[in-house]
Amino acid sequence: MNELQIEARQLSKRYGSLVAVDELSFSVNAGEVLGFLGPNGAGKSTTMKMLTGFLTPTAGTAEINGHDIVNDSLAARRCIGYLPEGAPSYGEMTVRSFLEFIARARGFEGKDALRAAGAAIERLNLDGVPEQPIETLSKGFKRRVGLAQAIIHDPSVLILDE
């Protein structure tokens, strides 16, 4: 039996009278892939933002590897790699300096941060651009940099928004 990694129970988000997510329940086991399909405004990104701790649910709850996204948010977020739509980055930073910054933000120190950034660069085939400012990269390379930051700490749960 696979280990349960994400469990959402009656997850809801309301903005006044607008219901963005309405009592959504689902679970994802280790090794499974789940995709959300639906029209614009269906609540896909809102759900991902709740799972990653960027938004607090109005009602319901979810757990990431057994950690409640509200009551144990930090532990839940440590398990997640997240690539939001239009992933923000610091365009003036080089790919390497940005990934080293992210590694340190994820708890790597000293040479471990350098190694984590180097491994992400290699894993995402960014070897040709590590000293290039992010703002000068093509859209495809920028997406790869975004994915590199999402996986730099080898998360057990990866959430990708478009």
Side-chain angles (χ1 to χ4, degrees):
M1 186 164 102
N2 285 338
E3 181 180 330
L4 189 62
Q5 290 195 296
I6 301 174
E7 184 174 18
R9 293 182 301 278
Q10 304 295 304
L11 201 57
S12 298
K13 184 65 179 178
R14 290 178 174 72
Y15 299 97
S17 62
L18 174 69
V19 179
V21 177
D22 192 18
E23 297 184 4
L24 179 63
S25 296
F26 65 91
S27 61
V28 182
N29 291 313
E32 290 182 337
V33 175
L34 171 70
F36 294 141
L37 297 174
N40 290 345
K44 302 176 299 289
S45 292
T46 300
T47 299
M48 289 182 240
K49 287 176 184 174
M50 286 189 288
L51 292 174
T52 57
F54 283 87
L55 283 177
T56 302
T58 305
T61 189
E63 292 182 356
I64 307 293
N65 289 345
H67 303 286
D68 186 277
I69 59 170
V70 174
N71 298 324
D72 198 6
S73 180
L74 191 56
R77 285 184 279 157
R78 283 188 182 115
C79 302
I80 298 170
Y82 179 43
L83 179 59
E85 181 180 10
S89 65
Y90 299 102
E92 69 280 358
M93 294 179 84
T94 66
V95 171
R96 184 182 309 281
S97 61
F98 175 69
L99 293 175
E100 289 172 0
F101 167 75
I102 295 297
R104 288 190 298 278
R106 283 291 187 177
F108 292 92
E109 296 178 4
K111 290 184 180 180
D112 289 337
L114 302 180
R115 273 193 287 277
I121 287 167
E122 185 177 319
R123 196 168 178 193
L124 272 293
N125 258 349
L126 295 166
D127 330 69
V129 297
E131 305 312 323
Q132 212 170 311
I134 294 170
E135 65 193 0
T136 68
L137 298 175
S138 68
K139 184 178 178 182
F141 270 112
K142 286 178 184 175
R143 291 299 283 170
R144 282 201 248 168
V145 172
L147 186 54
Q149 70 76 30
I151 66 168
I152 200 162
H153 62 297
D154 195 26
S156 57
V157 173
L158 185 59
I159 297 178
L160 308 172
D161 194 355
E162 292 191 38

